[in-house]
Amino acid sequence: MEYLTDALTLRAFDRRIPFDVTLELTRRCNQSCAMCYLPSAESEEMDTETVKAILRTLAGAQCLFLTFTGGEIFLREDTLDLIDFATDLGFAVTVKTNATLLDAARVARLKECAIMEVHVSLLGGSAAVHDAVTGVTGSFDAVCGAVGELRRRGIAVVIMSVITRGAVDDMEAIHRLAQGWGIEHVNFSAIIFPRFPGDASARRYRLTDEDLRRFYATIGSLYSIDQGEEEPCRGMPSDERLLSCTALQDGITVTPDGTVLACSSLPMPLGNIVSDRLETILFSEKADRIIEGLQLSSTPECASCADRIGCLRCPGLAFMDNGMLGTVPREACRHTNAFKAIAGGRP
């Protein structure tokens, strides 16, 4: 069955069906997270009717999964109307938010919209840590209140927790909070992206090598991962594309002004969905070049690495750190080595 799935996946790749689309409604935000990868809050935003027209276009292109994100999307007054419109078109909708603007009335509307889930950012297990990261006093209490209301309404919540330097010790507290809300797992991440290609400032927020090992050890402890047990592996995929980044082949990101990107971490404009036909964007020469640069074979050192199957390799991370595709994402290497150190030597 897995190989049948592979065949269908490759067929979708060939047709470049945007199954999974991320739509940035705004880059404005009411928080000031130091490690945020968005380069600026200043961005032209599409109006309500333009966004609705784009949603119709995406529905016609066989998009299934749609994620609304920002910035903070609830700074837009029409966000709930757009979510409702998207679910009526048949999209499986995910909402990403810092949750500080989610009052009881908005949560009730979200419930009526029949969305798939809400992704909420929780950056610490206490107000002292979370509020220090967001730069907004009271943001921790607002998040906790919103998540409680979402769960009370029966809405599925995924806790997204980016762990920055100094916050590793808060992981267990974050996990306990999630369990208290009936959420079994937290989506922990320690990948910090630069704001623009070649920007070195992100490094100050990344975990040290020692803390990275503690990060993965904590995840292993919280979620009962046997650090020495070998997992069954079916071997190398039948096609290199199944081991490479799938951005642009099965999904895209659309920025607040309609610019189409392969991925939010690859700020290489392909066109604008407001003025250009989506099919023309997806099958352009620039799109072809980007897809070629995403392949594992475009980085010989990665292609020949013994850890290539389990590696966290991200071409977008390489592009943002090094300023070009086809380079080694050394930060991914660091994560893979840290994981191997606590997982019995296997990636």
Side-chain angles (χ1 to χ4, degrees):
M1 182 61 70
E2 288 179 336
Y3 292 102
L4 176 60
T5 303
D6 286 354
L8 293 174
T9 299
L10 291 170
R11 184 177 178 184
F13 284 0
D14 291 336
R15 296 173 63 189
R16 296 188 191 174
I17 297 173
F19 281 129
D20 195 344
V21 173
T22 296
L23 178 54
E24 296 179 358
L25 290 178
T26 182
R27 288 193 170 176
R28 290 176 290 138
C29 191
N30 59 336
Q31 296 187 156
S32 303
C33 299
M35 76 298 183
C36 180
Y37 65 88
L38 292 178
S40 172
E42 299 298 324
S43 176
E44 183 179 346
E45 297 176 11
M46 296 175 287
D47 62 27
T48 304
E49 292 308 312
T50 302
V51 175
K52 287 182 177 180
I54 288 171
L55 292 175
R56 294 188 193 97
T57 296
L58 293 173
Q62 301 180 58
C63 171
L64 175 59
F65 299 102
L66 179 70
T67 299
F68 286 107
T69 188
E72 174 45 51
I73 63 173
F74 289 104
L75 287 172
R76 283 186 61 136
E77 295 182 359
D78 61 355
T79 292
L80 285 165
D81 290 335
L82 292 172
I83 292 171
D84 193 29
F85 185 80
T87 55
D88 282 348
L89 285 175
F91 292 110
V93 172
T94 293
V95 171
K96 287 190 174 183
T97 175
N98 63 35
T100 58
L101 301 178
L102 277 181
D103 56 19
R106 284 188 169 127
V107 172
R109 278 287 309 277
L110 277 177
K111 179 64 176 179
E112 293 173 358
C113 290
I115 60 174
M116 188 166 65
E117 58 192 19
V118 178
H119 290 190
V120 174
S121 299
L122 184 60
L123 307 174
S126 67
V129 176
H130 179 90
D131 291 2
V133 176
T134 66
V136 178
T137 300
S139 57
F140 175 80
D141 291 338
V143 170
C144 290
V147 173
E149 183 65 16
L150 287 164
R151 297 300 293 137
R152 189 180 73 79
R153 290 277 184 174
I155 298 174
V157 175
V158 177
I159 298 297
M160 310 294 288
S161 189
V162 176
I163 301 299
T164 53
R165 188 172 298 190
V168 174
D169 290 336
D170 256 36
M171 292 174 67
E172 292 187 7
I174 293 169
H175 174 72
R176 287 193 297 272
L177 281 171
Q179 287 195 313
W181 292 315
I183 302 168
E184 288 301 315
H185 289 79
V186 175
N187 191 332
F188 287 112
S189 173
I191 299 286
I192 309 294
F193 281 86
R195 293 192 174 189
F196 54 85
D199 172 31
S201 65
R203 296 172 187 169
R204 76 183 72 164
Y205 307 111
R206 290 174 174 172
L207 302 184
T208 63
D209 290 347
E210 178 182 352
D211 278 349
L212 263 185
R213 290 190 289 272
R214 291 175 56 216
F215 171 84
Y216 286 110
T218 301
I219 291 176
S221 173
L222 290 175
Y223 301 119
S224 303
I225 298 173
D226 188 333
Q227 298 176 7
E229 182 181 352
E230 288 290 341
E231 294 181 348
C233 178
R234 52 181 261 200
M236 288 289 290
S238 58
D239 189 292
E240 177 200 3
R241 288 175 292 173
L242 298 171
L243 195 58
S244 302
C245 175
T246 63
L248 193 54
Q249 297 171 94
D250 65 356
I252 55 174
T253 291
V254 180
T255 70
D257 68 356
T259 298
V260 175
L261 308 175
C263 169
S264 58
S265 60
L266 275 174
M268 304 167 69
L270 290 160
N272 192 293
I273 197 171
V274 178
S275 57
D276 305 323
R277 292 183 66 246
L278 180 58
E279 184 177 11
T280 300
I281 295 172
L282 295 177
F283 286 92
S284 66
E285 290 185 8
K286 188 170 185 179
D288 290 341
R289 290 195 301 270
I290 290 177
I291 290 175
E292 182 179 354
L294 299 178
Q295 302 311 301
L296 185 62
S297 58
S298 71
T299 312
E301 183 176 338
C302 293
S304 61
C305 179
D307 296 332
R308 62 191 180 278
I309 294 181
C311 179
L312 295 172
R313 174 183 175 270
C314 172
L317 184 59
F319 177 78
M320 296 301 284
D321 269 349
N322 307 327
M324 59 187 299
L325 287 175
T327 57
V328 178
R330 298 296 178 191
E331 181 66 2
C333 300
R334 217 166 59 88
H335 278 257
T336 301
N337 289 332
F339 182 79
K340 284 172 61 180
I342 62 95
R346 59 179 172 84

